[in-house]
């Protein structure tokens, strides 16, 4: 701490420096009226202190205007564990900050890998938390079946420290929440039908579509025929049908988590 002595100096024998902050307070005496600086010791790294000075005389003078200063260095980078815990829409990271780093808050940032599914689906984000420590965080509201890269930065009164190591995790898939696009009839014979359908819209796939369930149900509610499915073309040939019979053809998308709702067409 440095200061300008009061004028005149007559009768000043020293100064008393008082400070509060970091949950503590104290004062230190400095000898000599011509003294103009002093180093406070024993303070806490990363904490902000309010400091004021009084000139010492037989009748002590007025206190200086207070100033604030933050002690020490920014925190070290947190270290994240490499295996987060996931659900269909959350990722829970865990980690720690190296000892000796005072923490007053942290920022978690995440970025979705757009190369997997739904390139236009944007749900990158960040969240800022006030905390005296960092041991982990749960990110919510994520998309099922998507890969995310996550980093953390911690801070204290001195500022933000360096970014953590990055961890990558993939949320669990959920069954598709949307039905395939409209079904169209390509070809019909007395005993078979070929149908095609549109994709499930990307945000409702909830993962990678691996298959489709195609059924043909007659007016009596009985399923008939055998479906040979071309997943890439989203097309199925249904054979073994009865001539001159009305059928309801239904198509539902399938991923690793289950089967979604159906789209239907009368044939």
């Amino acid at each position: 701490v440095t200061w300008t002595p009061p004028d005149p100096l007559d009768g000043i024998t020293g100064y008393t420096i008082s400070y509060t902050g970091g949950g503590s307070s104290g004062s230190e005496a400095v000898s000599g009226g011509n003294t103009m600086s002093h180093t406070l010791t024993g303070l806490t790294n990363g904490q902000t202190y309010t400091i004021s000075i009084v000139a010492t005389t037989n009748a002590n003078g007025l206190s200086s205007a207070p100033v604030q200063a933050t002690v020490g260095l920014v925190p070290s980078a947190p270290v994240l564990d490499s295996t987060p815990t996931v659900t269909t829409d959350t990722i829970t990271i865990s980690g720690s900050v190296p000892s000796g780093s005072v923490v007053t808050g942290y920022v978690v940032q995440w970025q979705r890998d757009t190369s997997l599914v739904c390139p236009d689906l944007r749900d990158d984000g960040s969240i800022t938390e006030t905390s005296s420590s960092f041991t982990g965080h749960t990110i919510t509201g994520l998309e099922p079946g998507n890969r995310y890269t996550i980093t953390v930065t911690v801070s204290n009164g001195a500022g933000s420290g360096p970014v953590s190591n990055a961890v990558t995790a993939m949320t669990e898939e959920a069954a598709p929440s949307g039905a395939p696009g409209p079904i169209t009839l390509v070809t019909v014979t007395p005993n078979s039908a070929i149908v095609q359908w549109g994709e499930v819209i990307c945000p409702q796939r909830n993962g990678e579509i691996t298959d489709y369930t195609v059924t043909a149900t007659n007016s009596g509610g009985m399923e008939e025929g055998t479906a040979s499915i071309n997943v890439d073309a989203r097309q199925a040939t249904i054979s073994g049908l009865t001539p001159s019979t009305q059928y309801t053809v239904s198509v539902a998308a399938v991923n690793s988590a289950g089967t979604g709702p159906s789209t239907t067409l009368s044939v």
Side-chain angles (χ1 to χ4, degrees):
V1 182
T2 62
W3 61 91
T4 301
D7 185 23
L9 291 173
D10 295 347
I12 296 177
T13 59
Y15 300 89
T16 299
I17 304 175
S18 301
Y19 59 89
T20 60
S24 64
S25 62
S27 64
E28 295 185 14
V30 182
S31 299
N34 290 319
T35 303
M36 291 180 289
S37 68
H38 180 72
T39 299
L40 296 170
T41 61
L43 304 180
T44 301
N45 182 45
Q47 296 295 332
T48 298
Y49 291 84
T50 299
I51 304 164
S52 60
I53 304 173
V54 173
T56 304
T57 63
N58 291 332
N60 290 338
L62 298 176
S63 174
S64 70
V67 296
Q68 286 192 324
T70 299
V71 177
L73 304 174
V74 298
S76 301
V79 179
L80 304 184
D81 297 336
S82 59
T83 54
T85 302
V86 301
T87 68
T88 56
D89 61 355
T90 68
I91 296 177
T92 300
I93 57 173
S94 58
S96 61
V97 180
S99 60
S101 293
V102 173
V103 175
T104 58
Y106 61 86
V107 177
V108 181
Q109 294 183 300
W110 59 94
Q111 186 173 28
R112 191 177 65 86
D113 184 350
T114 59
S115 67
L116 295 181
V117 291
C118 303
D120 296 331
L121 181 64
R122 305 303 302 178
D123 62 346
D124 302 344
S126 66
I127 188 168
T128 301
E129 297 285 356
T130 300
S131 176
S132 60
S133 64
F134 172 77
T135 57
H137 186 84
T138 297
I139 305 169
T140 61
L142 302 178
E143 295 293 332
N146 277 262
R147 179 180 291 127
Y148 295 85
T149 300
I150 305 161
T151 57
V152 176
T153 303
V154 293
S155 60
N156 59 22
S160 295
V163 68
S164 71
N165 58 305
V167 296
T168 300
M170 192 160 184
T171 51
E172 296 177 344
E173 291 191 356
S177 56
I183 304 172
T184 57
L185 180 63
V186 178
T187 305
V188 64
T189 74
N191 300 103
S192 68
I194 298 176
V195 293
Q196 287 183 327
W197 54 90
E199 290 184 319
V200 178
I201 63 172
C202 201
Q204 296 179 351
R205 295 174 197 167
N206 300 333
E208 181 183 1
I209 302 299
T210 57
D211 200 359
Y212 295 90
T213 299
V214 180
T215 58
T217 306
N218 62 27
S219 59
M222 299 293 294
E223 292 185 8
E224 292 188 29
T226 301
S228 175
I229 301 168
N230 184 328
V231 174
D232 293 333
R234 295 189 303 280
Q235 178 174 293
T237 300
I238 309 169
S239 57
L241 302 179
T242 302
S244 301
T245 302
Q246 188 78 26
Y247 290 92
T248 298
V249 177
S250 64
V251 179
V254 181
N255 64 19
S256 65
T259 303
S262 298
T263 299
T264 62
L265 174 71
S266 294
V267 177

